[in-house]
Amino acid sequence: MKCFSLWLLAAAVTAQITYQNSSGTILRVDNGTYGPEIEEHHYYYDQWPIGLAVSSTGRLFVCYTRGTYAYTLGEAVNKTAEVPYPSAELNLPPSALNTSFNGIPFGSSNATGLISVQALYITPQTASRPETLWVLDTGRPTIINAQGTPSVPYAQPGGPKLIAISISNNSVYATYTFPPSVHYPDSYMNDLRFDLRANVTSGGRGVVYIVDSSDEGRNGFIILDLGTGESWRRLTQHPSVLRASNDVPSYQGHPFYQRSIGMPIGHLQEGVDGVQISPDGSTIYYSPLTSNYLYSIPSINLLARDSDPLSEQAAHNNVSNLGQRGGNANGFEGDSNGLIYQLVPSHNAIFYYDPRDLQTHGYVRDPRIIWPDSASIGADGYFYVNINQLPYQPMWNDGVDLRVHPGAVLRCKLPGGGTKINTLG
Ligand SMILES: *[C@@H]1O[C@H](CO)[C@@H](O)[C@H](O)[C@H]1NC(C)=O
Ligand SMILES: *[C@@H]1O[C@H](CO)[C@@H](O)[C@H](O)[C@H]1NC(C)=O
Ligand SMILES: *[C@@H]1O[C@H](CO)[C@@H](O)[C@H](O)[C@H]1NC(C)=O
Ligand SMILES: *[C@@H]1O[C@H](CO)[C@@H](O)[C@H](O)[C@H]1NC(C)=O
Ligand SMILES: *[C@@H]1O[C@H](CO)[C@@H](O)[C@H](O)[C@H]1NC(C)=O
Ligand SMILES: *[C@@H]1O[C@H](CO)[C@@H](O)[C@H](O)[C@H]1NC(C)=O
Ligand SMILES: *[C@@H]1O[C@H](CO)[C@@H](O)[C@H](O)[C@H]1NC(C)=O
Ligand SMILES: *[C@@H]1O[C@H](CO)[C@@H](O)[C@H](O)[C@H]1NC(C)=O
């Protein structure tokens, strides 16, 4: 024993290599990176972002879930700042985001003002539509009571909505709301993808696929016909869309449990979150945030209406489990080569599923990717991704904000000359 201690002492005096400083090591080291060069495209110094969308000319639009934030939709005006978009007035003030009925908290029912925008998507200009920024408002802000306990009040019809903004004249030109039989009070619309081909539904104006990721409610798909304004659900409570219980991912090497004031230590509860459409519109890829599995379903099964008595059974029968991917994933994107990108916070990485070889591959990994939250492929062939340090937000850390400014938009080149999906519309 004594002899061993002496040897340790000698080693400490002569060697420079410790576990905190391996710069002189002869051992193989994981440097934490692979993939194309990453550029730091934009910095967030004020509100922490959630979703983003990049236009055909490189305009960068960002959304922020609310809360206490002054606005929920913005446009970057330079490398370090964003301003409310299209106007500050379109935002309900923080004091008007929620209400209550018989002691039950509800979100606002205002169908024109913005409440809490979760996701954005830009579709290109077509003969019948301007280049459009689609804005998905959950109608469910995060409120914090006098004890400091955060909660997300139930939605009222009107509050949850999809707004279409022409980015050439910066004006809202269409608004869609949902009946309570489609958007439940505890639904939470998390992301959306479009098929704007006129023939995809009878409405003749295309369709949008929306995921209901609700932490507490019935997960599933909401499908909206942009021509008729009708909406319906599919795959509600199917195992492939449900939150996975007791999920413990690791972020920056630390196992993660959710810690919220006023609640026992728990786990993330989000169901179906990532969604992507194939370039030909035939397939929808998706997965719950708290699961390691990727799934797909033919679009035709989501498009089937309730008037078809076999619509739900056929949808269930046609779900494909595409296997594990090596970690949880939140947002998805897809490129013109048909690759399905998935943001993987537990690996500080972005993976992609390739339908040609049926496998998931690493695309880019970097220690700066601390919770990649939402991605947007530009017409310039770049992959843009929001970095928002979400596991360090106060809601998940006993009310303490451990995030460090700035947040960021990172970007890197797509492989194989990939670019934005352009066959839709
Ligand atoms: C780490 O070790 C190298 C030599 O292996 C030394 O040059 C360097 O100063 C050390 N860094 C720190 C922070 O101690
Ligand atoms: C990190 O390691 C990978 C894999 O060994 C290597 O390809 C890459 O060049 C390394 N990057 C840096 C910055 O050293
Ligand atoms: C960026 O825009 C903000 C908001 O308009 C402004 O306050 C700031 O001075 C600008 N910064 C630079 C470097 O131009
Ligand atoms: C909104 O929620 C906050 C926090 O729970 C509460 O103090 C406030 O009274 C609510 N507003 C209305 C109008 O109910
Ligand atoms: C809805 O919100 C908008 C934007 O704040 C506001 O102009 C409008 O008056 C509100 N409508 C109602 C019915 O409160
Ligand atoms: C903006 O463009 C849309 C779509 O082309 C159009 O419907 C709307 O009337 C325009 N609004 C304004 C204020 O020009
Ligand atoms: C729908 O329209 C697209 C072009 O937008 C075309 O390629 C496709 O074949 C059409 N599908 C059907 C079933 O007609
Ligand atoms: C898959 O969906 C199609 C279209 O609704 C349907 O015809 C087919 O029967 C479904 N497959 C199964 C195995 O149910």
Side-chain angles (χ1 to χ4, degrees), residues 15 45-46 62 173 209 232 248 384 398 408 411:
Y45 281 101
D46 185 14
V62 183
Y173 75 84
Y209 302 93
W232 60 97
V248 182
Y384 294 81
D398 286 329
R411 72 170 195 174

mmCIF file with all atom_site columns, all heavy atoms in Angstrom, residues 15 45-46 62 173 209 232 248 384 398 408 411:
data_model
loop_
_atom_site.group_PDB
_atom_site.id
_atom_site.type_symbol
_atom_site.label_atom_id
_atom_site.label_alt_id
_atom_site.label_comp_id
_atom_site.label_asym_id
_atom_site.label_entity_id
_atom_site.label_seq_id
_atom_site.pdbx_PDB_ins_code
_atom_site.Cartn_x
_atom_site.Cartn_y
_atom_site.Cartn_z
_atom_site.occupancy
_atom_site.B_iso_or_equiv
_atom_site.pdbx_formal_charge
_atom_site.auth_seq_id
_atom_site.auth_comp_id
_atom_site.auth_asym_id
_atom_site.auth_atom_id
_atom_site.pdbx_PDB_model_num
ATOM 1   N N   . ALA A 1 15  ? 4.612   13.478 -14.307 1.00 0.00 ? 15  ALA A N   1
ATOM 2   C CA  . ALA A 1 15  ? 3.755   13.425 -15.491 1.00 0.00 ? 15  ALA A CA  1
ATOM 3   C C   . ALA A 1 15  ? 2.848   14.656 -15.561 1.00 0.00 ? 15  ALA A C   1
ATOM 4   O O   . ALA A 1 15  ? 2.413   15.174 -14.552 1.00 0.00 ? 15  ALA A O   1
ATOM 5   C CB  . ALA A 1 15  ? 2.909   12.153 -15.459 1.00 0.00 ? 15  ALA A CB  1
ATOM 6   N N   . TYR A 1 45  ? -29.166 37.357 -28.077 1.00 0.00 ? 45  TYR A N   1
ATOM 7   C CA  . TYR A 1 45  ? -28.752 37.980 -26.814 1.00 0.00 ? 45  TYR A CA  1
ATOM 8   C C   . TYR A 1 45  ? -29.931 38.361 -25.934 1.00 0.00 ? 45  TYR A C   1
ATOM 9   O O   . TYR A 1 45  ? -29.751 38.863 -24.834 1.00 0.00 ? 45  TYR A O   1
ATOM 10  C CB  . TYR A 1 45  ? -27.894 39.223 -27.094 1.00 0.00 ? 45  TYR A CB  1
ATOM 11  C CG  . TYR A 1 45  ? -26.468 38.869 -27.444 1.00 0.00 ? 45  TYR A CG  1
ATOM 12  C CD1 . TYR A 1 45  ? -26.031 38.877 -28.757 1.00 0.00 ? 45  TYR A CD1 1
ATOM 13  C CD2 . TYR A 1 45  ? -25.557 38.518 -26.443 1.00 0.00 ? 45  TYR A CD2 1
ATOM 14  C CE1 . TYR A 1 45  ? -24.725 38.539 -29.083 1.00 0.00 ? 45  TYR A CE1 1
ATOM 15  C CE2 . TYR A 1 45  ? -24.253 38.180 -26.758 1.00 0.00 ? 45  TYR A CE2 1
ATOM 16  C CZ  . TYR A 1 45  ? -23.841 38.191 -28.073 1.00 0.00 ? 45  TYR A CZ  1
ATOM 17  O OH  . TYR A 1 45  ? -22.551 37.853 -28.373 1.00 0.00 ? 45  TYR A OH  1
ATOM 18  N N   . ASP A 1 46  ? -31.173 38.156 -26.449 1.00 0.00 ? 46  ASP A N   1
ATOM 19  C CA  . ASP A 1 46  ? -32.331 38.613 -25.670 1.00 0.00 ? 46  ASP A CA  1
ATOM 20  C C   . ASP A 1 46  ? -33.235 37.408 -25.391 1.00 0.00 ? 46  ASP A C   1
ATOM 21  O O   . ASP A 1 46  ? -32.941 36.608 -24.514 1.00 0.00 ? 46  ASP A O   1
ATOM 22  C CB  . ASP A 1 46  ? -33.028 39.729 -26.456 1.00 0.00 ? 46  ASP A CB  1
ATOM 23  C CG  . ASP A 1 46  ? -34.176 40.364 -25.698 1.00 0.00 ? 46  ASP A CG  1
ATOM 24  O OD1 . ASP A 1 46  ? -34.275 40.132 -24.483 1.00 0.00 ? 46  ASP A OD1 1
ATOM 25  O OD2 . ASP A 1 46  ? -34.989 41.077 -26.326 1.00 0.00 ? 46  ASP A OD2 1
ATOM 26  N N   . VAL A 1 62  ? -37.799 33.903 -36.589 1.00 0.00 ? 62  VAL A N   1
ATOM 27  C CA  . VAL A 1 62  ? -37.597 33.151 -35.358 1.00 0.00 ? 62  VAL A CA  1
ATOM 28  C C   . VAL A 1 62  ? -38.858 33.253 -34.508 1.00 0.00 ? 62  VAL A C   1
ATOM 29  O O   . VAL A 1 62  ? -39.533 34.291 -34.515 1.00 0.00 ? 62  VAL A O   1
ATOM 30  C CB  . VAL A 1 62  ? -36.415 33.757 -34.554 1.00 0.00 ? 62  VAL A CB  1
ATOM 31  C CG1 . VAL A 1 62  ? -36.152 32.942 -33.310 1.00 0.00 ? 62  VAL A CG1 1
ATOM 32  C CG2 . VAL A 1 62  ? -35.173 33.866 -35.411 1.00 0.00 ? 62  VAL A CG2 1
ATOM 33  N N   . TYR A 1 173 ? -52.353 36.921 -44.512 1.00 0.00 ? 173 TYR A N   1
ATOM 34  C CA  . TYR A 1 173 ? -53.385 36.796 -45.540 1.00 0.00 ? 173 TYR A CA  1
ATOM 35  C C   . TYR A 1 173 ? -54.341 35.634 -45.297 1.00 0.00 ? 173 TYR A C   1
ATOM 36  O O   . TYR A 1 173 ? -55.342 35.490 -45.997 1.00 0.00 ? 173 TYR A O   1
ATOM 37  C CB  . TYR A 1 173 ? -52.778 36.753 -46.946 1.00 0.00 ? 173 TYR A CB  1
ATOM 38  C CG  . TYR A 1 173 ? -52.109 35.449 -47.342 1.00 0.00 ? 173 TYR A CG  1
ATOM 39  C CD1 . TYR A 1 173 ? -52.840 34.385 -47.860 1.00 0.00 ? 173 TYR A CD1 1
ATOM 40  C CD2 . TYR A 1 173 ? -50.740 35.295 -47.201 1.00 0.00 ? 173 TYR A CD2 1
ATOM 41  C CE1 . TYR A 1 173 ? -52.227 33.195 -48.219 1.00 0.00 ? 173 TYR A CE1 1
ATOM 42  C CE2 . TYR A 1 173 ? -50.109 34.108 -47.559 1.00 0.00 ? 173 TYR A CE2 1
ATOM 43  C CZ  . TYR A 1 173 ? -50.859 33.053 -48.067 1.00 0.00 ? 173 TYR A CZ  1
ATOM 44  O OH  . TYR A 1 173 ? -50.251 31.876 -48.415 1.00 0.00 ? 173 TYR A OH  1
ATOM 45  N N   . TYR A 1 209 ? -49.647 18.908 -42.305 1.00 0.00 ? 209 TYR A N   1
ATOM 46  C CA  . TYR A 1 209 ? -49.578 17.849 -41.298 1.00 0.00 ? 209 TYR A CA  1
ATOM 47  C C   . TYR A 1 209 ? -48.972 18.456 -40.030 1.00 0.00 ? 209 TYR A C   1
ATOM 48  O O   . TYR A 1 209 ? -47.850 18.976 -40.067 1.00 0.00 ? 209 TYR A O   1
ATOM 49  C CB  . TYR A 1 209 ? -48.696 16.700 -41.786 1.00 0.00 ? 209 TYR A CB  1
ATOM 50  C CG  . TYR A 1 209 ? -49.143 16.085 -43.090 1.00 0.00 ? 209 TYR A CG  1
ATOM 51  C CD1 . TYR A 1 209 ? -48.625 16.527 -44.310 1.00 0.00 ? 209 TYR A CD1 1
ATOM 52  C CD2 . TYR A 1 209 ? -50.079 15.057 -43.105 1.00 0.00 ? 209 TYR A CD2 1
ATOM 53  C CE1 . TYR A 1 209 ? -49.026 15.956 -45.504 1.00 0.00 ? 209 TYR A CE1 1
ATOM 54  C CE2 . TYR A 1 209 ? -50.488 14.481 -44.299 1.00 0.00 ? 209 TYR A CE2 1
ATOM 55  C CZ  . TYR A 1 209 ? -49.957 14.936 -45.494 1.00 0.00 ? 209 TYR A CZ  1
ATOM 56  O OH  . TYR A 1 209 ? -50.357 14.369 -46.680 1.00 0.00 ? 209 TYR A OH  1
ATOM 57  N N   . TRP A 1 232 ? -58.841 17.381 -39.117 1.00 0.00 ? 232 TRP A N   1
ATOM 58  C CA  . TRP A 1 232 ? -59.190 16.093 -38.517 1.00 0.00 ? 232 TRP A CA  1
ATOM 59  C C   . TRP A 1 232 ? -57.944 15.514 -37.870 1.00 0.00 ? 232 TRP A C   1
ATOM 60  O O   . TRP A 1 232 ? -56.842 16.063 -38.011 1.00 0.00 ? 232 TRP A O   1
ATOM 61  C CB  . TRP A 1 232 ? -59.779 15.147 -39.570 1.00 0.00 ? 232 TRP A CB  1
ATOM 62  C CG  . TRP A 1 232 ? -58.883 14.823 -40.731 1.00 0.00 ? 232 TRP A CG  1
ATOM 63  C CD1 . TRP A 1 232 ? -58.091 13.729 -40.873 1.00 0.00 ? 232 TRP A CD1 1
ATOM 64  C CD2 . TRP A 1 232 ? -58.692 15.613 -41.925 1.00 0.00 ? 232 TRP A CD2 1
ATOM 65  N NE1 . TRP A 1 232 ? -57.416 13.779 -42.070 1.00 0.00 ? 232 TRP A NE1 1
ATOM 66  C CE2 . TRP A 1 232 ? -57.765 14.919 -42.735 1.00 0.00 ? 232 TRP A CE2 1
ATOM 67  C CE3 . TRP A 1 232 ? -59.211 16.827 -42.380 1.00 0.00 ? 232 TRP A CE3 1
ATOM 68  C CZ2 . TRP A 1 232 ? -57.340 15.409 -43.980 1.00 0.00 ? 232 TRP A CZ2 1
ATOM 69  C CZ3 . TRP A 1 232 ? -58.787 17.309 -43.617 1.00 0.00 ? 232 TRP A CZ3 1
ATOM 70  C CH2 . TRP A 1 232 ? -57.867 16.600 -44.400 1.00 0.00 ? 232 TRP A CH2 1
ATOM 71  N N   . VAL A 1 248 ? -34.689 8.796  -19.588 1.00 0.00 ? 248 VAL A N   1
ATOM 72  C CA  . VAL A 1 248 ? -33.576 9.558  -18.984 1.00 0.00 ? 248 VAL A CA  1
ATOM 73  C C   . VAL A 1 248 ? -32.468 9.705  -20.026 1.00 0.00 ? 248 VAL A C   1
ATOM 74  O O   . VAL A 1 248 ? -31.580 8.861  -20.124 1.00 0.00 ? 248 VAL A O   1
ATOM 75  C CB  . VAL A 1 248 ? -33.024 8.890  -17.702 1.00 0.00 ? 248 VAL A CB  1
ATOM 76  C CG1 . VAL A 1 248 ? -31.904 9.745  -17.104 1.00 0.00 ? 248 VAL A CG1 1
ATOM 77  C CG2 . VAL A 1 248 ? -34.131 8.705  -16.665 1.00 0.00 ? 248 VAL A CG2 1
ATOM 78  N N   . TYR A 1 384 ? -29.756 25.172 -41.396 1.00 0.00 ? 384 TYR A N   1
ATOM 79  C CA  . TYR A 1 384 ? -29.742 26.140 -40.299 1.00 0.00 ? 384 TYR A CA  1
ATOM 80  C C   . TYR A 1 384 ? -30.370 25.496 -39.068 1.00 0.00 ? 384 TYR A C   1
ATOM 81  O O   . TYR A 1 384 ? -31.431 24.879 -39.167 1.00 0.00 ? 384 TYR A O   1
ATOM 82  C CB  . TYR A 1 384 ? -30.542 27.388 -40.672 1.00 0.00 ? 384 TYR A CB  1
ATOM 83  C CG  . TYR A 1 384 ? -29.952 28.200 -41.802 1.00 0.00 ? 384 TYR A CG  1
ATOM 84  C CD1 . TYR A 1 384 ? -30.155 27.835 -43.134 1.00 0.00 ? 384 TYR A CD1 1
ATOM 85  C CD2 . TYR A 1 384 ? -29.185 29.339 -41.545 1.00 0.00 ? 384 TYR A CD2 1
ATOM 86  C CE1 . TYR A 1 384 ? -29.609 28.575 -44.171 1.00 0.00 ? 384 TYR A CE1 1
ATOM 87  C CE2 . TYR A 1 384 ? -28.646 30.088 -42.575 1.00 0.00 ? 384 TYR A CE2 1
ATOM 88  C CZ  . TYR A 1 384 ? -28.858 29.696 -43.884 1.00 0.00 ? 384 TYR A CZ  1
ATOM 89  O OH  . TYR A 1 384 ? -28.316 30.432 -44.920 1.00 0.00 ? 384 TYR A OH  1
ATOM 90  N N   . ASP A 1 398 ? -35.520 23.807 -11.282 1.00 0.00 ? 398 ASP A N   1
ATOM 91  C CA  . ASP A 1 398 ? -35.954 24.402 -10.011 1.00 0.00 ? 398 ASP A CA  1
ATOM 92  C C   . ASP A 1 398 ? -36.010 25.927 -10.062 1.00 0.00 ? 398 ASP A C   1
ATOM 93  O O   . ASP A 1 398 ? -35.724 26.600 -9.071  1.00 0.00 ? 398 ASP A O   1
ATOM 94  C CB  . ASP A 1 398 ? -35.018 23.952 -8.878  1.00 0.00 ? 398 ASP A CB  1
ATOM 95  C CG  . ASP A 1 398 ? -35.263 22.501 -8.482  1.00 0.00 ? 398 ASP A CG  1
ATOM 96  O OD1 . ASP A 1 398 ? -36.426 22.049 -8.593  1.00 0.00 ? 398 ASP A OD1 1
ATOM 97  O OD2 . ASP A 1 398 ? -34.299 21.829 -8.074  1.00 0.00 ? 398 ASP A OD2 1
ATOM 98  N N   . ALA A 1 408 ? -27.777 30.650 -30.423 1.00 0.00 ? 408 ALA A N   1
ATOM 99  C CA  . ALA A 1 408 ? -27.199 30.778 -31.764 1.00 0.00 ? 408 ALA A CA  1
ATOM 100 C C   . ALA A 1 408 ? -28.042 30.102 -32.837 1.00 0.00 ? 408 ALA A C   1
ATOM 101 O O   . ALA A 1 408 ? -28.812 29.185 -32.561 1.00 0.00 ? 408 ALA A O   1
ATOM 102 C CB  . ALA A 1 408 ? -25.801 30.171 -31.785 1.00 0.00 ? 408 ALA A CB  1
ATOM 103 N N   . ARG A 1 411 ? -24.992 27.073 -38.945 1.00 0.00 ? 411 ARG A N   1
ATOM 104 C CA  . ARG A 1 411 ? -25.351 26.548 -40.267 1.00 0.00 ? 411 ARG A CA  1
ATOM 105 C C   . ARG A 1 411 ? -24.180 25.776 -40.858 1.00 0.00 ? 411 ARG A C   1
ATOM 106 O O   . ARG A 1 411 ? -23.012 26.054 -40.562 1.00 0.00 ? 411 ARG A O   1
ATOM 107 C CB  . ARG A 1 411 ? -25.808 27.650 -41.218 1.00 0.00 ? 411 ARG A CB  1
ATOM 108 C CG  . ARG A 1 411 ? -24.711 28.562 -41.710 1.00 0.00 ? 411 ARG A CG  1
ATOM 109 C CD  . ARG A 1 411 ? -25.227 29.459 -42.847 1.00 0.00 ? 411 ARG A CD  1
ATOM 110 N NE  . ARG A 1 411 ? -24.111 30.072 -43.561 1.00 0.00 ? 411 ARG A NE  1
ATOM 111 C CZ  . ARG A 1 411 ? -24.244 30.794 -44.657 1.00 0.00 ? 411 ARG A CZ  1
ATOM 112 N NH1 . ARG A 1 411 ? -25.433 31.033 -45.177 1.00 0.00 ? 411 ARG A NH1 1
ATOM 113 N NH2 . ARG A 1 411 ? -23.178 31.300 -45.256 1.00 0.00 ? 411 ARG A NH2 1
#
